[in-house]
Amino acid sequence: NHDYEGFYVCYQPQFRGADYTLDGVEALMRFRADGVEYPPALFIPIMEQMGLIHDAGLWILKQALAQVTIWREKLPELYLNVNFSLGQFANPDIIETVIKIYKESGLPPHVLTLEFTETVEMEDVDKIAIATKTWKAAGIDVALDDFGTGYSNLAMLKEIACSEIKIERTFVSNIKDGTYSYLLTSSIVNFAHQNDIAVCCEGVETEKDVLTLSPLKPDLYQGYAFDKPLKVEEFEEAYIDST
């Protein structure tokens, strides 16, 4: 077991598109050393190179499940998204390990969604399809993050039993009606909804973004227009102590 000194978890709230109420949180790993905060873009690749990403992924999963269990006493409808690195598949037991950790948390089915953060390549699809089907049967949902970048083929969604797609922030930030990004976002939302897949727009920075996106009827919003990633005490102050 590695000692994760300096690492901690922040939680970015997600809000329902229908009424802008709190839906859940995405758990995000943060690292602080000697009073300096290091961005994930810096420390995640290093952890991947050092082969630590698997253990770190399970550590954050356990932390976040324990935290959300506590919060659900006050917010019984709170959902949780946790990032899952494709590198974690290098461990042959990963599918079962995740199910075991989720069962041990005591949370009901379908509270947890695992987010695939990298662009999924076609050669990974079979492996991921098996994992997602097994997880879904155990009450764990899967989301594809950064949808719209790289090779994220809509046809692939048929293979992977995913419950949610998150539209990449470059499409969503400063979005304008009628532009390419707008039309692309609109068609992704329509396609997803026809296939019973929820859509989260992430990187929603301004009220104007929200007003532009709102006619497209995304299921969820995430971004600074609503709230930033929060430390545990900040989240409690904003969403629990005030209720």
Side-chain angles (χ1 to χ4, degrees):
N1 268 357
H2 296 282
D3 178 19
Y4 288 99
E5 199 182 331
F7 286 97
Y8 63 100
V9 185
C10 273
Y11 297 88
Q12 187 166 25
Q14 296 179 327
F15 294 81
R16 296 188 184 108
D19 56 8
Y20 306 135
T21 54
L22 179 70
D23 182 79
V25 288
E26 179 184 353
L28 298 160
M29 193 180 238
R30 294 289 182 258
F31 179 63
R32 189 196 299 113
D34 303 323
V36 180
E37 290 278 345
Y38 291 92
L42 197 66
F43 67 76
I44 298 278
I46 295 168
M47 293 179 83
E48 281 175 344
Q49 282 162 6
M50 291 171 73
L52 295 173
I53 206 71
H54 171 71
D55 288 348
L58 296 181
W59 176 79
I60 196 171
L61 178 61
K62 286 174 188 166
Q63 296 276 107
L65 287 168
Q67 188 59 68
V68 165
T69 302
I70 295 166
W71 285 341
R72 277 175 70 95
E73 288 172 19
K74 296 271 172 65
L75 302 168
E77 293 296 302
L78 192 70
Y79 293 93
L80 170 66
N81 280 35
V82 177
N83 292 314
F84 185 90
S85 163
L86 297 182
Q88 291 179 257
F89 278 123
N91 182 312
D93 305 326
I94 187 64
I95 297 175
E96 291 308 320
T97 303
V98 166
I99 292 171
K100 186 167 167 283
I101 290 170
Y102 190 51
K103 291 218 162 108
E104 282 168 1
S105 78
L107 285 166
H110 303 292
V111 170
L112 172 66
T113 298
L114 294 175
E115 280 187 27
F116 289 128
T117 46
E118 300 94 331
T119 312
V120 174
E121 302 293 343
M122 273 326 261
E123 62 262 26
D124 295 324
V125 168
D126 291 348
K127 184 167 55 181
I128 292 169
I130 292 164
T132 48
K133 285 189 177 79
T134 313
W135 282 335
K136 208 161 200 176
I140 298 168
D141 294 314
V142 166
L144 288 180
D145 197 5
D146 290 346
F147 200 83
T149 59
Y151 186 84
S152 36
N153 182 339
L154 288 174
M156 199 169 70
L157 294 179
K158 282 256 183 282
E159 307 293 318
I160 297 172
C162 83
S163 308
E164 182 188 332
I165 53 179
K166 300 184 80 173
I167 298 180
E168 217 271 333
R169 64 185 60 239
T170 50
F171 293 111
V172 168
S173 273
N174 301 315
I175 193 163
K176 289 179 183 64
D177 193 352
T179 58
Y180 176 81
S181 287
Y182 185 87
L183 296 170
L184 185 71
T185 302
S186 172
S187 52
I188 291 173
V189 173
N190 289 336
F191 178 88
H193 286 170
Q194 283 162 4
N195 289 281
D196 294 326
I197 297 168
V199 178
C200 174
C201 288
E202 50 183 349
V204 183
E205 303 295 321
T206 64
E207 210 169 302
K208 197 165 165 289
D209 292 346
V210 180
L211 290 172
T212 310
L213 288 162
S214 145
L216 303 182
K217 298 199 165 28
D219 303 274
L220 297 167
Y221 292 108
Q222 184 177 350
Y224 282 74
F226 291 91
D227 217 332
K228 64 183 197 299
L230 302 168
K231 294 177 178 146
V232 168
E233 55 277 13
E234 293 173 327
F235 180 85
E236 290 176 350
E237 212 170 282
Y239 296 98
I240 292 177
D241 301 345
S242 57
T243 48

